[in-house]
């Protein structure tokens, strides 16, 4: 990589420091994990990560294609950055990657309208980022690559983890569900599961480096193992990971309701390391809308699994995703959704206004819901869910929770925050040396989105 080496040496000789990079990540945990790999690649070459976009010599936007709003933010940020570079005579290398770049029309728009973007690459091109940077530095031309790489090549990439005590672990890639509103199967590809032995080896390595908690990632973790020979179920994988000495917590994202098994549900009672929290996206409470969405389950199917979860000995905290204003959604359909969230009693719901994504079946559907109706429904949904979340949190008053301390609170530097076993955000007074440790916190105040408490010293 002669051009990269020359760039770094020239920069160090001129400024007496190493060149820096900054990554802005949009979207899901899969994108966050990809950004950790990008950070590792650039750090290995000699670049230093920074949080300041203006100071960064390389700026990377890791994009999300799930909703139009994220793509709009990207366009706005690129325009703002171009203006800043021109106004202050700054030289930067700009990269755009991620799911949006897998959409032909979006990628072409970027190539045509944003000539100051130097490198464009897809979700499967991260492993060759060094080659792309080398090509740009040697030719000074825009470089575009969205070629796929095989799974084994992808798994050779390291990661610069945000936390040294918890980590994401990819167990599979892609999605085979083809929900009519979702672009992911077209941007991330079809489902491919990693070998269990490779996953277990990675988790063991992480634990040996100090990791206490792992979150297993996949677009639909419940279908893990179907592409392997011999097949292995997701629940079987969790049992194997739970046997790893030193690992204290296991989480996973994201579950598709149609594939969640009895074996997996019962695992919550049988595996102490499996945290009592389950994200199980319902998207709508209406059978008619669920069918239009191609979700492949009914309201009754979903509620049967919720009832099974609630019958466990452990109390499992539940969260969900809900889309408001899907094409042809009527007031009755929306009322069904409100009724369902009251029936389930979610601890938390991630609510979204339906966003048309090019290339999906839903984008071509008739009877698109007007924006004013979407906004009104979303507001009502949020109000109902906030009340439910507050009531769910009230049961923690006076209780002592085990909290993995992550750092200072985003709202008050005098407080620290972390996640309970139930994935509740907990704020409390602590010390810097508590970061990365699991401490006991007695809850004395609750809000809809967080809990406040006092650290309890072990006696």
């Amino acid at each position: 990589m002669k051009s990269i080496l020359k760039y770094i040496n020239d920069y160090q000789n001129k400024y007496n420091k190493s060149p820096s990079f900054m990554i802005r990540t949009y979207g899901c945990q899969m994108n966050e994990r990809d950004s950790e790999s990008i950070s590792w690649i650039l750090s290995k070459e000699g670049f230093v990560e920074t949080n300041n976009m203006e100071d960064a010599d390389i700026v990377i936007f890791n994009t999300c294609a799930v909703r139009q709003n994220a793509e709009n933010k990207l366009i706005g940020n690129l325009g703002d950055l171009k203006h800043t570079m021109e106004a202050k005579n700054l030289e930067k290398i700009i990269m755009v990657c991620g799911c949006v770049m897998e959409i032909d029309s979006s990628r072409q728009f970027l190539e045509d309208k944003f000539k100051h973007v130097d490198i464009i690459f897809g979700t499967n091109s991260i492993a060759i980022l060094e080659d792309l940077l080398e090509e740009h530095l040697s030719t000074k031309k825009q470089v575009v690559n969205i070629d796929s790489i095989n799974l084994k090549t992808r798994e050779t990439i390291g990661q610069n983890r945000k936390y040294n005590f918890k980590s994401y672990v990819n167990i599979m890639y892609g999605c085979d569900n083809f929900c009519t509103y979702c672009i992911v199967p077209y941007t991330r590809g079809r489902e491919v599961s990693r070998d269990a032995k490779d996953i277990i080896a990675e988790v063991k390595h992480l634990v040996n480096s100090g990791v206490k908690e792992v979150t297993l990632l996949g677009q639909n973790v419940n279908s893990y193992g179907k592409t392997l020979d011999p097949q292995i179920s997701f629940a079987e994988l969790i049992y194997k990971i739970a046997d790893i000495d030193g690992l204290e917590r296991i989480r996973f994202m994201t579950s598709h309701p149609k594939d969640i098994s009895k074996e997996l549900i019962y695992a919550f009672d049988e595996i102490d390391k499996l945290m009592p929290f389950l994200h199980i996206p319902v998207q709508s409470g209406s059978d008619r809308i669920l069918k239009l969405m191609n979700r492949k389950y009914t309201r009754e199917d979903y509620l049967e699994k919720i009832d099974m979860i609630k019958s466990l000995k452990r109390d499992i905290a539940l969260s969900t995703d809900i889309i408001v204003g899907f094409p042809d959604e009527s007031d009755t359909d929306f009322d069904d959704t409100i009724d369902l969230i009251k029936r389930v009693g979610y601890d938390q719901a991630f609510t979204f206004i339906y966003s048309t994504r090019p290339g999906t079946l839903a984008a071509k559907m008739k009877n698109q819901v007007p924006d004013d109706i979407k906004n009104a429904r979303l507001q009502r949904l949020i109000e109902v869910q906030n009340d439910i979340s507050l009531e769910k949190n009230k049961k923690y008053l006076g209780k002592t929770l085990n909290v993995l301390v992550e750092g200072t609170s985003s709202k008050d530097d005098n407080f620290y925050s972390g996640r309970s076993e139930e994935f509740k955000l907990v704020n409390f007074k602590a010390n810097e040396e508590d970061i990365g440790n699991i401490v006991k916190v007695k809850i004395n105040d609750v809000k809809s989105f967080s809990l406040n408490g006092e650290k309890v010293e072990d006696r």
Side-chain angles (χ1 to χ4, degrees):
M1 299 295 175
K2 293 181 179 179
S3 295
I4 294 177
L5 182 61
K6 183 178 186 305
Y7 175 88
I8 292 175
N9 287 337
D10 290 347
Y11 190 98
Q12 290 173 334
N13 290 333
K14 184 175 181 179
Y15 299 106
N16 198 30
K17 62 178 183 178
S18 296
S20 61
F21 68 93
M22 193 214 80
I23 307 173
R24 176 162 292 177
T25 307
Y26 307 87
C28 68
Q29 292 88 351
M30 299 287 282
N31 273 21
E32 291 180 29
R33 175 62 180 82
D34 285 348
S35 289
E36 290 179 343
S37 293
I38 294 169
S39 174
W40 180 82
I41 290 170
L42 292 176
S43 298
K44 183 168 61 74
E45 288 296 328
F47 296 89
V48 177
E49 190 161 9
T50 178
N51 292 321
N52 190 314
M53 185 179 295
E54 188 170 315
D55 291 343
D57 302 289
I58 299 178
V59 177
I60 306 106
F61 296 100
N62 188 359
T63 64
C64 173
V66 173
R67 292 174 184 86
Q68 184 63 43
N69 187 48
E71 193 167 341
N72 293 342
K73 285 183 179 179
L74 167 68
I75 299 303
N77 286 329
L78 285 174
D80 291 343
L81 182 56
K82 181 180 181 182
H83 175 76
T84 300
M85 291 170 62
E86 291 174 346
K88 298 187 176 183
N89 195 28
L90 301 175
E91 291 187 7
K92 296 181 185 294
I93 298 171
I94 302 176
M95 304 183 187
V96 181
C97 61
C99 293
V100 172
M101 297 304 96
E102 300 285 350
I103 303 173
D104 291 343
S105 58
S106 298
R107 186 178 64 255
Q108 193 61 56
F109 176 80
L110 209 68
E111 291 181 47
D112 294 342
K113 302 296 183 181
F114 293 88
K115 300 294 186 182
H116 64 295
V117 175
D118 301 296
I119 301 174
I120 297 170
F121 59 104
T123 57
N124 292 317
S125 304
I126 294 173
I128 58 170
L129 176 56
E130 294 159 294
D131 296 325
L132 305 182
L133 179 57
E134 176 73 16
E135 182 179 348
H136 167 69
L137 289 174
S138 62
T139 65
K140 304 303 180 184
K141 295 180 179 180
Q142 187 180 74
V143 177
V144 180
N145 187 292
I146 57 164
D147 293 340
S148 295
I149 58 172
N150 64 52
L151 183 61
K152 289 297 183 184
T153 301
R154 187 188 318 212
E155 292 311 314
T156 62
I157 311 171
Q159 62 183 127
N160 279 349
R161 302 194 310 272
K162 181 179 180 180
Y163 301 100
N164 57 17
F165 49 86
K166 67 175 189 174
S167 182
Y168 294 127
V169 176
N170 287 332
I171 66 169
M172 60 189 301
Y173 300 95
C175 183
D176 286 351
N177 288 308
F178 290 93
C179 300
T180 58
Y181 55 81
C182 187
I183 197 72
V184 168
Y186 308 99
T187 60
R188 291 266 177 188
R190 303 300 295 270
E191 282 183 6
V192 181
S193 296
R194 292 179 62 194
D195 288 340
K197 66 178 184 299
D198 293 337
I199 297 169
I200 292 167
E202 180 177 345
V203 175
K204 285 182 177 179
H205 173 76
L206 290 169
V207 170
N208 289 336
S209 69
V211 166
K212 294 180 171 68
E213 175 183 297
V214 295
T215 300
L216 309 178
L217 294 183
Q219 303 300 149
N220 174 19
V221 289
N222 298 335
S223 63
Y224 170 80
K226 291 182 179 179
T227 62
L228 299 176
D229 185 15
Q231 289 190 357
I232 173 176
S233 72
F234 180 48
E236 288 174 317
L237 176 67
I238 290 179
Y239 277 96
K240 290 178 181 292
I241 292 174
D243 286 336
I244 297 174
D245 290 336
L247 180 64
E248 298 186 42
R249 291 182 167 191
I250 302 171
R251 302 188 188 277
F252 58 84
M253 283 278 193
T254 289
S255 283
H256 194 295
K258 73 177 176 63
D259 294 318
I260 191 168
S261 66
K262 291 181 181 179
E263 183 186 18
L264 178 59
I265 292 173
Y266 294 148
F268 281 98
D269 266 350
E270 297 176 357
I271 303 175
D272 290 338
K273 293 180 181 181
L274 183 57
M275 292 295 95
F277 167 78
L278 178 60
H279 183 67
I280 181 167
V282 68
Q283 305 301 1
S284 174
S286 163
D287 278 339
R288 196 175 70 86
I289 297 301
L290 287 172
K291 187 174 182 180
L292 288 174
M293 288 178 168
N294 193 36
R295 291 292 286 174
K296 300 184 179 71
Y297 56 83
T298 66
R299 173 191 176 96
E300 183 180 357
D301 295 335
Y302 184 90
L303 290 174
E304 282 181 359
K305 292 185 178 181
I306 293 295
D307 288 341
M308 190 181 303
I309 294 164
K310 289 186 175 182
S311 72
L312 296 172
K313 296 175 184 177
R314 298 174 84 184
D315 188 10
I316 309 299
L318 298 171
S319 69
T320 195
D321 292 340
I322 297 174
I323 296 173
V324 172
F326 188 81
D328 205 34
E329 182 188 65
S330 67
D331 289 340
T332 300
D333 294 320
F334 179 68
D335 287 341
D336 286 343
T337 296
I338 294 293
D339 179 75
L340 184 136
I341 69 169
K342 290 179 178 179
R343 160 85 162 74
V344 175
Y346 295 105
D347 291 72
Q348 187 177 8
F350 299 91
T351 56
F352 309 96
I353 287 177
Y354 167 72
S355 177
T356 303
R357 306 309 292 130
T360 62
L361 290 175
K364 303 173 185 177
M365 289 181 181
K366 298 178 180 179
N367 300 325
Q368 298 283 332
V369 179
D371 287 344
D372 59 337
I373 295 178
K374 288 181 183 178
N375 289 322
R377 288 176 182 169
L378 179 67
Q379 187 58 41
R380 182 185 169 200
L381 178 64
I382 289 173
E383 290 172 358
V384 172
Q385 180 57 48
N386 284 353
D387 289 342
I388 294 172
S389 295
L390 182 59
E391 286 302 311
K392 298 290 285 188
N393 282 348
K394 283 181 180 179
K395 72 179 183 181
Y396 293 99
L397 274 172
K399 291 188 176 182
T400 299
L401 304 180
N402 296 316
V403 179
L404 178 58
V405 187
E406 296 181 355
T408 55
S409 170
S410 61
K411 296 184 178 180
D412 189 337
D413 288 342
N414 294 318
F415 282 76
Y416 286 73
S417 66
R419 295 285 177 176
S420 72
E421 294 177 347
E422 303 82 3
F423 206 63
K424 299 290 183 180
L425 178 63
V426 184
N427 299 300
F428 55 98
K429 286 189 176 180
N431 302 306
E432 186 174 356
E433 55 265 29
D434 289 322
I435 296 176
N437 293 322
I438 296 174
V439 303
K440 295 185 180 300
V441 179
K442 186 174 183 179
I443 305 304
N444 54 30
D445 180 44
V446 303
K447 303 182 185 303
S448 292
F449 306 110
S450 63
L451 310 175
N452 298 324
E454 294 181 357
K455 180 183 169 186
V456 178
E457 300 293 343
D458 292 330
R459 297 183 185 279

